[in-house]
Amino acid sequence: MIELADAGELGFDAERLARIDGFLQERYIDTGRLPCAQILVAREGRPVHYAHFGTLREDGTPMREDALFRIASMTKPVTSIAFMQLVEQCRVALEDPVTRVFPEFADLAVYAGGGGSVPFAPGTPAPPMRFVDLLTHMSGFTYGLQNRTNIDALYREENLDFARDHLDSDAYVAKLARLPLEFAPGTGWNYSVSTDVLGIAVERLSGMRLGDYLAEHVFGPLGMTDTAFGAGDAGADRLADAYAYRPGKPPRMVDAGATSRLNRPGTFDSGGGGLVGTIADYQRFATMLANGGALDGARIVSPKTLHLMRTNHLPGGADLTQVSRSLFSESHNAGTGFGLGFAMVIDPARTLMPASEGEFYWGGAYSTAFFVDPVEDVTMVFMTQLYPSSAYPIRRQLKTLIYAALTHSKV
């Protein structure tokens, strides 16, 4: 049971927070746009608003507080934190070439033409890729779901976006090493499988499978007992059905929770998108971030490490509109930078919505989202299961509603 603090004592108007519920119910649940939703807003680590809506399953099974959701790319910040734990131990450095861990990447080349029915032209040898390039999505890798280039098409052919059931980590790297890069590492930003590669780096550096590493070094210390790479038998009855958006039609159910492959072990732990978890668990992760890397006596990373992660690393202080080559990502807003695993607000005015400079966040392909505002000490976690995340502007709407309910600002 999620216990709520007094919203007024923490600088929120409870009646205005309640607008969120009416908005979600009327705009998204009653209209059938979303099958389900959960939202949790907290300040100073204390929940001030929680609600859930809709159904867990297509058969009408009611939504439950401990429902499991595919958090997709909200896995990326978790994997990035795990890698930075190893950086803190000097087992690896951000400036290290990735070939230190991945000798398979010694002969990467930049795309120079071809693809489809035409063989790829011999590419230009790529300059060394560094681990910081993986964390910032400036590696030159891509996603098949971008649907933009001949390289994206080859990623789809190899099914690199969804490797859980057909590859192990070593086979994944071997396939990736044979494909050309979109651009020379460090010269552009493209949302990609970079964090999957980062997760494999955690495995090779630690000698542990990624899921086991996270369980021991992140989830266990934080008390995130319901988060893992898959639901497993114990969670099969709690895994929500997943849906796909269809313009002008009701969403189509694409993965039934009761029969999902996520109830069975996979061969690959996707550090870029494979975790399943509850809203309460991710709230603990978000609270740890808001606290500068610690929660309830468990230190996950240091405050200075986390500050480095939530600082814009795009060249020249640029925002994503200036350097992104992606058609698809979890962030489209002007005034948004990117750090080591997170996007962050670098110019609130350019975002054209209420925000704090330094606020950091990310989301998942099934329309899940979270943000951490270190200025106002506010966190939000939102769960649903509709692909893709670009179907509706719900993240922007929720942020607007949350900040509209704030009565006492810390600035």
Side-chain angles (χ1 to χ4, degrees), residues 95-273:
E95 66 269 26
D96 282 346
V98 298
T99 50
R100 179 185 158 195
V101 174
F102 299 107
E104 299 97 322
F105 292 153
D107 298 317
L108 291 174
V110 178
Y111 178 73
S117 61
V118 179
F120 281 111
T124 305
M129 183 189 298
R130 304 164 300 159
F131 283 105
V132 68
D133 298 323
L134 294 175
L135 282 154
T136 57
H137 290 284
M138 297 183 70
S139 62
F141 293 136
T142 190
Y143 264 132
L145 53 78
Q146 297 278 7
N147 289 309
R148 184 177 50 91
T149 69
N150 286 336
I151 305 174
D152 301 338
L154 194 54
Y155 274 55
R156 291 195 296 277
E157 279 182 35
E158 299 288 351
N159 200 18
L160 287 172
D161 295 0
F162 306 101
R164 184 181 192 272
D165 297 318
H166 69 101
L167 293 173
D168 63 19
S169 296
D170 290 343
Y172 185 89
V173 171
K175 279 184 175 287
L176 202 56
R178 295 196 296 269
L179 307 182
L181 299 175
E182 291 270 8
F183 49 80
T187 63
W189 191 92
N190 188 48
Y191 198 46
S192 72
V193 302
S194 289
T195 317
D196 284 306
V197 177
L198 199 70
I200 301 170
V202 171
E203 292 186 335
R204 293 189 179 185
L205 288 162
S206 69
M208 303 172 68
R209 184 158 170 172
L210 182 59
D212 295 334
Y213 180 93
L214 294 177
E216 182 173 333
H217 297 283
V218 180
F219 302 149
L222 291 178
M224 296 171 64
T225 57
D226 279 326
T227 304
F229 287 105
D233 293 337
D237 64 332
R238 294 189 285 142
L239 181 63
D241 292 344
Y243 295 76
Y245 169 72
R246 295 188 296 174
K249 297 179 181 179
R252 177 174 59 91
M253 203 259 283
V254 293
D255 187 35
T259 58
S260 175
R261 59 188 173 78
L262 294 170
N263 299 327
R264 304 183 298 274
T267 57
F268 177 71
D269 290 345
S270 169

Side-chain angles (χ1 to χ4, degrees), residues 77 94 131 173 232 254 268 273 307 327 353 400:
L94 293 175
F131 283 105
V173 171
V254 293
F268 177 71
H307 189 270
L327 290 182
M353 60 179 159
T400 299

